[in-house]
């Protein structure tokens, strides 16, 4: 799935990185040097314009002596589309609703998908022969 817009979770992670860094009295350059990246990259992480990879997040948590969970504080309040996986591992809803610009249309579509997925859950063999 291609993402063109800034993801709200990336913004939360970036904001928390900036907060933690400032609390510890560190510059973006100090963080960059510790990770072996440019300070511009740290700026992009903090703005949420670049996504922090799992390995960089791990390195940041070690360099800043914080839990990786600290970077996600506040993420639980971000409204997002959800991914629904069945026991078979098939994805019935992949979360592409974020590309729908109108919030009321996006909410209506999410409601429709939830409603239809409940029907699918009631008959798990309904799509057993469908190609994957």
């Amino acid at each position: 799935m291609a993402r063109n817009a800034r993801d709200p979770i990336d913004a939360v992670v970036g904001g928390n990185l900036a907060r933690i860094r400032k609390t510890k009295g560190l510059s973006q350059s100090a963080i960059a040097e510790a990770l072996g990246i440019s300070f511009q990259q740290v700026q992009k992480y903090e703005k949420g314009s670049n996504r922090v990879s799992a390995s960089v997040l791990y390195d940041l948590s070690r360099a800043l002596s914080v839990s990786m969970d600290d970077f996600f504080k506040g993420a639980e309040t971000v409204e997002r589309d959800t991914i629904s996986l069945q026991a078979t591992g098939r994805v019935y809803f992949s979360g592409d609703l974020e590309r729908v610009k109108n919030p009321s249309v996006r909410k209506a579509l999410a409601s429709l998908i939830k409603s239809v997925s409940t029907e699918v859950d009631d008959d798990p063999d309904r799509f057993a022969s469908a190609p994957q």
Side-chain angles (χ1 to χ4, degrees):
M1 160 176 60
R3 293 184 184 212
N4 298 327
R6 190 172 97 164
D7 190 291
I9 299 297
D10 295 332
V12 168
V13 170
N16 284 325
L17 169 58
R19 177 185 52 79
I20 294 165
R21 176 184 59 77
K22 290 173 186 174
T23 299
K24 295 192 175 274
L26 298 169
S27 67
Q28 290 176 332
S29 295
I31 299 296
E33 188 175 322
L35 297 179
I37 60 176
S38 69
F39 81 90
Q40 291 94 339
Q41 184 62 44
V42 175
Q43 286 177 327
K44 290 176 183 180
Y45 289 153
E46 289 186 359
K47 288 180 186 174
S49 54
N50 276 17
R51 180 166 290 156
V52 181
S53 69
S55 59
V56 170
L57 194 64
Y58 178 80
D59 292 341
L60 281 167
S61 72
R62 304 254 336 218
L64 294 168
S65 300
V66 296
S67 161
M68 289 197 336
D69 290 346
D70 291 335
F71 294 105
F72 293 95
K73 286 190 176 168
E76 61 279 354
T77 63
V78 174
E79 189 174 316
R80 293 186 57 118
D81 299 333
T82 57
I83 297 174
S84 176
L85 297 174
Q86 299 298 319
T88 62
R90 287 181 278 177
V91 177
Y92 287 105
F93 171 54
S94 66
D96 283 336
L97 285 181
E98 67 191 37
R99 295 186 354 218
V100 176
K101 301 294 182 218
N102 185 317
S104 58
V105 171
R106 187 172 47 245
K107 187 175 182 179
L109 286 170
S111 177
L112 174 65
I113 291 168
K114 261 185 202 174
S115 158
V116 172
S117 68
T118 302
E119 292 175 20
V120 172
D121 289 344
D122 292 342
D123 185 6
D125 294 327
R126 182 174 176 179
F127 297 107
S129 62
Q132 296 186 20

